[in-house]
Amino acid sequence: PGLDQVVVCITSPGGAVTMYGLAASQLMRIKSAGLKLVVCVDSIAASGGYLMGVTADRIYAAPFALVGSIGVISIVPNVHELLEKHDIHTHVITAGKYKRTLDVLGEVTGMQIF
């Protein structure tokens, strides 16, 4: 008793959080069943792959494997200046200061560019 464990090998450059969230929740089910969870990475577990990996009790990685969150990028077209040129105004109403930090209609400010 207590020696049973599940070993999962993850190879993933990342992707949409919805599918990795589902996979991570399934890995959590293994742990909730009382089994130890070990993740092995031989090449890459980035972003969503890393999300899955951190559910484990232990992560083993090859010496040159890429493991971690590499950040998020989003490319959003912005038509604010076009609307302004034609005297078209938009209003955004949110429930909080950070609910809408970037959209296609609003002016891009320094707070949105990192």
Side-chain angles (χ1 to χ4, degrees):
L3 298 178
D4 291 335
Q5 57 186 338
V6 174
V7 178
V8 176
C9 183
I10 295 176
T11 302
S12 171
V17 71
T18 50
M19 55 191 180
Y20 287 98
L22 175 61
S25 70
Q26 296 305 309
L27 292 175
M28 293 298 293
R29 289 180 65 195
I30 292 169
K31 291 180 67 174
S32 67
L35 298 168
K36 294 286 185 186
L37 178 61
V38 177
V39 163
C40 297
V41 180
D42 60 355
S43 59
I44 186 168
S47 197
Y50 180 68
L51 171 71
M52 291 171 55
V54 297
T55 65
D57 296 295
R58 290 190 155 240
I59 299 176
Y60 292 100
F64 296 102
L66 298 173
V67 180
S69 181
I70 58 174
V72 175
I73 183 171
S74 179
I75 299 172
V76 179
N78 188 275
V79 295
H80 174 74
E81 291 178 16
L82 178 66
L83 294 174
E84 197 173 62
K85 179 180 175 182
H86 294 283
D87 202 28
I88 299 171
H89 304 280
T90 61
H91 301 280
V92 177
I93 301 167
T94 67
K97 182 177 179 181
Y98 298 106
K99 288 286 187 178
R100 188 223 53 96
T101 58
L102 183 61
D103 68 35
V104 299
L105 303 176
E107 181 179 10
V108 177
T109 66
M111 186 174 97
Q112 298 149 340
I113 302 171
F114 304 103

